[in-house]
Amino acid sequence: MTPFPDTSVQIDAHTLQGTPGVLTIDLDALATNWKALESRAVPAECSAVVKADAYGCGLTPVTRKLVSIGCKTFFVATLDEAKRAREAAPKAAIYVLDGFFANCGDDFAKIDCRPVIGDLNELAEWDAFRRTRGWTGLAALQIDTGMNRLGFTPDEARGLVPRIKQADHGIALVMSHLACAEDMSNAMNARQLAAFRSVASEFSGITASLANSSGIFLGSHFHMDMVRPGAALYGVNPTPEADNPMQPVVGLKVRIAQIRNVPKGETVGYGALWHAKRPTRLAIVSAGYADGYFRAASGIEGTRSAQAIVAGQRCPIVGRISMDLMAIDITDVPHGGIRRGHFITLIGEGLTLDELGHHFGTIGYEVLTSLGRRYARDYRGSVSQDSKTAPEKSSA
């Protein structure tokens, strides 16, 4: 194999032999994003959502980095994620969005994490566990203001207001979730704000939280006591109607496994859905939909495929993306500019998560959380001793 010439790839050659490519996570850029969101939200507290393995970026290194710059509150989806977050953030408040189940009470207590409760039966189970075990742990109440997913109705929540007059009520946070925050002109934002304010104002002395990443940009009246950014931390645009105010965090480079010449008129890939309209030079790269690069971005005739950066040039993907491989048309790249073993860029150098989301038929969130576990990971700005790793094992 040709030596790896891309000096931006800082993984040793031995590690690279076992992986299709390198996922770079810039933790300094992530820290910059968190600080920018914190500054916008002042005087509200800025927490961080690190569920789904920190949106695919690695829960442990991301949480450690955010702790090092002052983040004190984290949100995860599951108890297993909470356990990993607790190891990375021993003193932080950690909320579990998927809530509380009675048979998991001891696990919550052991790591002192806080369930986000949104149902009267769930609240009764949590109360029973606290009472029988003498545990004084805290929880959040989720109030449904229009998402119709999880949470108490506003009337149910008002029925819980007398509880906070008890000495050990155990409620540290009341929260709701915006359904349309990325659409700044959507009337539902104002309706949800009014509904949540009406209920939260009755929970005197309890922290209130409504704004997600996009909600932070709706204005200070949405910030309340705490904001909960997620995708924006990782570089996804929280304001799709305007330029992205966040720094890119993730980059993805994959190796060329073979360069081949295809005569005019030949087809490429499964289904033979792309025909060469000229003698074509292809770079076959060792990544595909098993690595989180969606088949929907395939280069099928009559459609505009996703692109890759090859030797500084944008080049189209041609033919069907398969499980482990894809083909890129590099006919216009000078012959001396690229060869087998070189890296091409799938994310970075102007190719954004949001652009990929468009080609994948989804959003940047799903792009991030789908990136495969076969990539080597290169953490830049890590607070740990070893920032260059093989694929991180995760339960997410």
Side-chain angles (χ1 to χ4, degrees):
M1 178 70 74
T2 304
F4 305 98
D6 190 336
T7 56
S8 69
V9 174
Q10 298 179 12
I11 301 291
D12 66 271
H14 177 74
T15 299
L16 285 170
Q17 294 297 327
T19 178
V22 178
L23 185 67
T24 300
I25 296 112
D26 187 341
L27 294 175
D28 286 338
L30 177 133
T32 297
N33 288 342
W34 184 83
K35 289 177 180 177
L37 295 166
E38 180 193 38
S39 177
R40 181 176 283 271
V42 167
E45 178 186 353
C46 188
S47 64
V49 181
V50 294
K51 64 181 180 177
D53 199 30
Y55 288 62
C57 292
L59 189 152
T60 297
V62 164
T63 302
R64 285 177 178 165
K65 184 67 175 184
L66 293 173
V67 167
S68 76
I69 60 170
C71 186
K72 295 179 173 61
T73 303
F74 295 88
F75 289 83
V76 297
T78 68
L79 187 53
D80 280 348
E81 290 177 345
K83 292 174 183 176
R84 295 171 57 215
R86 175 57 72 212
E87 291 176 356
K91 298 180 180 179
I94 298 172
Y95 288 92
V96 180
L97 292 164
D98 285 358
F100 182 85
F101 293 92
N103 59 348
C104 295
D106 288 329
D107 291 319
F108 274 88
K110 184 176 180 180
I111 62 171
D112 189 26
C113 63
R114 305 175 180 184
V116 176
I117 294 173
D119 174 84
L120 290 172
N121 291 325
E122 184 183 4
L123 181 61
E125 290 173 351
W126 182 68
D127 277 338
F129 174 79
R130 291 178 86 238
R131 184 172 58 254
T132 58
R133 297 301 174 90
W135 184 49
T136 58
L138 302 175
L141 299 181
Q142 172 99 283
I143 300 167
D144 177 31
T145 56
M147 179 73 85
N148 283 308
R149 199 172 57 174
L150 294 174
F152 296 98
T153 67
D155 285 343
E156 287 174 334
R158 288 189 180 92
L160 300 175
V161 170
R163 179 194 182 100
I164 65 172
K165 297 179 181 179
Q166 301 172 14
D168 180 26
H169 57 75
I171 304 303
L173 175 71
V174 290
M175 58 182 284
S176 190
H177 195 65
L178 294 166
C180 304
E182 70 282 356
D183 180 2
M184 300 182 73
S185 61
N186 196 303
M188 191 168 184
N189 295 322
R191 291 200 299 271
Q192 286 192 266
L193 174 63
F196 184 62
R197 270 185 165 172
S198 175
V199 177
S201 64
E202 299 189 42
F203 285 81
S204 178
I206 307 298
T207 299
S209 178
L210 176 64
N212 54 4
S213 289
S214 295
I216 294 171
F217 292 83
L218 292 176
S220 59
H221 44 302
F222 282 84
H223 297 167
M224 301 195 172
D225 302 311
M226 178 191 290
V227 296
R228 310 187 311 272
L233 295 173
Y234 311 101
V236 174
N237 188 358
T239 57
E241 299 170 0
D243 291 340
N244 191 352
M246 314 316 297
Q247 295 293 313
V249 171
V250 171
L252 177 59
K253 292 179 181 287
V254 296
R255 264 186 322 210
I256 296 176
Q258 186 180 109
I259 291 178
R260 62 187 302 120
N261 295 307
V262 175
K264 180 179 178 179
E266 286 290 308
T267 63
V268 174
Y270 285 115
L273 298 174
W274 184 89
H275 292 75
K277 293 181 173 57
R278 58 178 177 171
T280 302
R281 194 159 54 108
L282 298 179
I284 310 300
V285 299
S286 53
Y289 58 76
D291 303 296
Y293 204 90
F294 288 22
R295 190 169 180 263
S298 297
I300 299 171
E301 262 167 55
T303 66
R304 183 174 178 271
S305 71
Q307 296 176 316
I309 303 294
V310 183
Q313 296 183 211
R314 281 187 172 240
C315 299
I317 293 166
V318 299
R320 285 280 193 204
I321 294 167
S322 53
M323 186 178 291
D324 315 293
L325 297 166
M326 68 179 83
I328 299 166
D329 184 348
I330 60 168
T331 309
D332 296 327
V333 176
H335 277 257
I338 198 73
R339 60 186 185 273
R340 178 178 177 242
H342 282 202
F343 283 95
I344 62 96
T345 298
L346 295 179
I347 301 173
E349 299 183 60
L351 290 174
T352 68
L353 293 166
D354 297 292
E355 179 180 338
L356 270 189
H358 170 75
H359 286 294
F360 289 0
T362 183
I363 55 177
Y365 295 60
E366 190 174 6
V367 177
L368 269 175
T369 57
S370 298
L371 291 173
R373 307 304 306 176
R374 296 194 290 193
Y375 300 121
R377 293 187 167 211
D378 183 6
Y379 286 96
R380 309 290 175 88
S382 175
V383 296
S384 64
Q385 292 297 313
D386 184 9
S387 63
K388 301 170 182 63
T389 70
E392 180 184 287
K393 293 181 179 179
S394 167
S395 60

